[in-house]
Amino acid sequence: MTRLRPGVRATAMPRGVHVRGWTGSFTVEGGAGVPALWTRLEDALRRDRLDDLLAAAGPKARSVLLELLDTLDGHDMLTSAPSGEGGAGGAAEDASDTAESAGGAAAADTGGRLARRWFGAVAADPD
């Protein structure tokens, strides 16, 4: 299971999000839908529902979600844990939360373009 590392936080901007953690920070811009996608991605990562979110997302939203995941991974802001370990999840979660989040991700429009800016220790080579 893939999760956000503790301490990773994001601030919504009109057309993107600024994400920060102990290893640095980055900004993703691409459209008014990016903050909503971030919210759904963060929720999915914290609840072990990433596969559900990605499966329900439309092509543009899925592309943005995968870009966000790749950028998070590149900044060492993700961690792996065996399923069932750490945090909330499982049967205690309401199944409607996932459907609602996944539906919102499928509907979010980002225009299909993203711009990234890196800050901190990993800023030297973003590609």
Side-chain angles (χ1 to χ4, degrees):
M1 135 175 84
T2 301
R3 291 197 174 263
L4 283 175
R5 286 196 182 278
V8 173
R9 300 288 181 260
T11 301
M13 302 176 354
R15 300 183 52 77
V17 292
H18 179 74
V19 182
R20 61 206 170 281
W22 69 276
T23 59
S25 63
F26 63 91
T27 298
V28 175
E29 295 177 318
V34 173
L37 285 173
W38 169 263
T39 299
R40 287 166 178 82
L41 177 61
E42 181 180 27
D43 182 65
L45 288 169
R46 296 200 189 281
R47 295 179 180 210
D48 192 21
R49 303 276 174 89
L50 181 58
D51 291 339
D52 296 337
L53 178 65
L54 292 173
K60 285 183 182 179
R62 182 178 170 81
S63 174
V64 172
L65 290 166
L66 291 172
E67 182 82 20
L68 283 166
L69 286 166
D70 184 52
T71 305
L72 287 165
D73 188 46
H75 282 77
D76 196 27
M77 293 182 182
L78 296 176
T79 187
S80 297
S83 290
E85 283 190 17
E93 297 294 336
D94 183 354
S96 66
D97 288 348
T98 300
E100 182 178 301
S101 295
D109 179 16
T110 64
R113 289 168 288 166
L114 289 177
R116 295 182 287 177
R117 286 184 240 147
W118 284 263
F119 306 91
V122 293
D125 185 13
D127 294 317

